[in-house]
Amino acid sequence: MTRDYPTHLQQRIERLERQLARLKTPGAPSLQPDVATQETSHTEDASPESSVDALVADIAALPALTSSYPLTGDGSTFSTVLLGVAGQTVPTRDAYESGIEPVDLPLPEWNAALKLAKHYIARVYPRLPFFSIQGFWVQFDQVFPPDEPAAATEPPVVATAGRQRAPAPPVDIGYSRFTVLLVLAISSSSLSQSADSIISRQAQRLFNAALEYHKAAILPHTIVGVQSLLFLIQYATLNPSVLDAWYLIGVGMRNCIDLGLHQDPRPIESISPSLLETRRRLWWSMYSFDRSMSMGCGRPTEIADPMIKAELPCFRIESTASEDDIQGYLQRYRGLQLQSRIYEALNKPPAGVNTDDVISNLLKELRSWQSQNSPAHNQLPVETEWHMGMMLLHRPCRLLPERTLQEYKRLWDAAVGFVTLYRQLVDSNGIFYVQIACEKAYWSGLAILHAFWKLFYTPDGESPDGESLIVRQADLWKALQHVMAILRVLSERWDKGRLLAQRFEAVSARVMECIEGSSHSGDDATLPDEVAQLRHYVSLTSIWSAGDSGNCPQDLELRGIVATMAHC
């Protein structure tokens, strides 16, 4: 249930030791090996002694790099192997050793670093508020001491840049540099729309500099390690050609589950409110990545929702967020939870359930969630979650391979609404998760084609609830243009995005030929498999991610700063 393999092995060893103790007792009856012992024995001799030998051999075969305990010898560490598997950028040396610092650390000037950090807090952080802002500024002060001459040109900043505060407890300098440099790398990367730009190359330099301290931050089975993984996942979703976000999310979820972050401690009073808030923020942030990735790519989720017993964070401890900000954070998490329930419920094979009741109840919950959205929230991201929920609820799926005309119309409306909003985000450079956005845009485009196909050859009219079932080819062309524009822009950040764009262009052209064919009467057999078999959809790519930023004047200024840094 917890996937805590070391604890599982320890329990089996204890069972075997008790059996050995009883066997060594004079006059003790012979014992039959239990099921667990039989499963681990690799020989026909099932005696406790041979089982212990086999179990020890199994333990010896396990990679030591996944251990929670510090290594005492030379060799690969958990962080080195993780980075080596996740991407093509493998650290070649460890600069973090007993205070030894790399002499070529490409730290930007204090003013530039401060502006990039503020940009991250203002634009990226609200989408995934998984760490304490006050704690981050403490780390920022460690990496960029406030008494540096460069700081004299900037007036003191109170409560926003960590200046003029009471002394904070010391933080590991390697961990601080890893965190701060990654934040600067993510912030820089969010300002560019092309992986080949000067800004993106500078973001890569900052990322490589952060990796110099990976051993101090990417620690297995620790809170620090989970937070470091979330930063890596953020960078991976912005730069999917550099790191494998799917792999990092899987590792992160397993670390969270091993630490028990998916369940609040009992009794709740046994843990400090600050640590409890930290646990919840980290868990729900990792959960959001897992759900978004799984639902965007048509893959299984890492853990079932009924097993999750952790409450949502309150965001009122060590936080400067306003009440409207907090409600916006919580609404996005609640919306994602509801999407996850829809995704799981409609992917289960039929088991004598009343599907009409299932759909009706989920639709009521989704509409209730939408009614709680406030104009004070960040509307575009929240609205896209609403449309994604409606698409998941009304698409063909394993439980309901064919839907009613009313449901196909709702699928059409939701998918068109989704790509229309995503086009606005892309045009404003407001996408934070490039790979995820590509995958969702591609899947939404297929849903548009499938729904139009089902509705185009039906008599015009209204559903029993008075909803119009009419769809027009002009609306289809406009929606397809949105999808292609999204994929083309985002493919500048992701090589596999170009493959999705090319594939969707070919699929949509084939569907339009079928629609315009005079001899066709709506037979699914003439459609491309991706459209005809939408209920079996699984992503064509192996991973997905996302990125975000904007085209406001502040962004243009920051781009200039990063470009200047690149030439220093």
Side-chain angles (χ1 to χ4, degrees), residues 196-213:
D196 297 326
S197 68
I198 294 176
I199 297 175
S200 290
R201 289 196 290 272
Q202 177 61 17
Q204 183 66 37
R205 293 189 189 99
L206 290 167
F207 173 71
N208 291 338
L211 293 189
E212 296 286 353
Y213 303 97

Side-chain angles (χ1 to χ4, degrees), residues 21 97 100 191 227 275 286 290 361 377 400 463 475 552:
E97 290 180 5
I100 298 176
L191 294 166
Q227 180 169 305
L275 180 56
M286 197 69 74
D290 175 68
N361 291 335
H377 303 156
L400 296 167
S463 71
D475 294 329
C552 58

Side-chain angles (χ1 to χ4, degrees), residues 140-464:
F140 187 89
D141 287 345
Q142 267 194 303
V143 180
F144 297 93
D147 58 349
E148 287 187 357
T153 61
E154 183 85 6
V157 182
V158 182
T160 57
R163 304 309 193 249
Q164 297 185 355
R165 281 194 318 270
V171 183
D172 185 289
I173 185 63
Y175 173 52
S176 294
R177 285 177 172 168
F178 179 88
T179 299
V180 172
L181 287 169
L182 258 184
V183 165
L184 300 184
I186 294 167
S187 182
S188 300
S189 186
S190 70
L191 294 166
S192 175
Q193 288 185 308
S194 171
D196 297 326
S197 68
I198 294 176
I199 297 175
S200 290
R201 289 196 290 272
Q202 177 61 17
Q204 183 66 37
R205 293 189 189 99
L206 290 167
F207 173 71
N208 291 338
L211 293 189
E212 296 286 353
Y213 303 97
H214 65 280
K215 286 180 64 176
I218 309 173
L219 305 174
H221 311 306
T222 63
I223 294 294
V224 166
V226 172
Q227 180 169 305
S228 299
L229 280 169
L230 283 168
F231 280 121
L232 282 177
I233 293 168
Q234 276 194 323
Y235 188 82
T237 53
L238 270 166
N239 301 274
S241 296
V242 176
L243 287 175
D244 186 342
W246 174 261
Y247 171 75
L248 291 174
I249 292 169
V251 173
M253 285 293 286
R254 286 169 174 81
N255 270 268
C256 286
I257 294 169
D258 285 348
L259 287 169
L261 302 188
H262 61 301
Q263 298 178 338
D264 285 341
R266 292 289 183 268
I268 203 71
E269 297 79 13
S270 64
I271 189 172
S272 70
S274 178
L275 180 56
L276 181 63
E277 174 76 0
T278 298
R279 289 169 56 96
R280 288 172 173 173
R281 288 197 198 185
L282 293 176
W283 166 254
W284 287 108
S285 296
M286 197 69 74
Y287 172 93
S288 69
F289 274 128
D290 175 68
R291 267 25 186 195
S292 296
M293 179 72 80
S294 297
M295 290 184 288
C297 295
R299 295 175 174 179
T301 56
E302 189 68 31
I303 183 174
D305 285 287
M307 293 183 64
I308 300 171
K309 306 298 181 185
E311 299 292 333
L312 290 175
C314 66
F315 296 107
R316 292 178 175 84
I317 299 175
E318 298 182 1
S319 173
T320 58
S322 67
E323 192 60 32
D324 287 334
D325 291 336
I326 291 172
Q327 292 306 313
Y329 299 160
L330 296 177
Q331 272 298 89
R332 285 194 289 275
Y333 283 132
R334 293 186 187 116
L336 203 57
Q337 284 180 288
L338 188 51
Q339 290 178 21
S340 180
R341 288 181 52 201
I342 294 170
Y343 184 72
E344 294 293 340
L346 301 189
N347 270 297
K348 293 179 181 177
V353 297
N354 188 324
T355 56
D356 291 338
D357 289 344
V358 172
I359 298 297
S360 176
N361 291 335
L362 290 172
L363 181 58
K364 288 178 182 177
E365 291 186 51
L366 193 57
R367 285 175 170 166
S368 175
W369 171 83
Q370 187 201 28
S371 68
Q372 297 171 18
N373 292 331
S374 166
H377 303 156
N378 194 347
Q379 280 300 290
L380 277 181
V382 173
E383 282 298 307
T384 58
E385 299 300 345
W386 156 255
H387 289 305
M388 177 55 65
M390 290 293 285
M391 283 193 290
L392 291 170
L393 187 60
H394 295 104
R395 68 190 175 99
C397 55
R398 291 179 63 194
L399 189 63
L400 296 167
E402 289 292 334
R403 308 305 292 259
T404 66
L405 293 180
Q406 181 184 23
E407 289 169 334
Y408 280 126
K409 182 57 166 59
R410 290 178 179 173
L411 174 64
W412 161 268
D413 290 337
V416 171
F418 182 86
V419 298
T420 301
L421 292 177
Y422 251 48
R423 175 70 184 274
Q424 295 179 40
L425 287 171
V426 167
D427 288 344
S428 64
N429 198 23
I431 293 293
F432 285 136
Y433 306 120
V434 172
Q435 185 182 348
I436 296 171
C438 279
E439 297 282 7
K440 287 185 175 180
Y442 182 81
W443 179 79
S444 300
L446 296 182
I448 289 170
L449 292 170
H450 186 92
F452 186 89
W453 181 262
K454 294 294 184 180
L455 293 166
F456 188 66
Y457 290 99
T458 60
D460 294 343
E462 295 181 348
S463 71

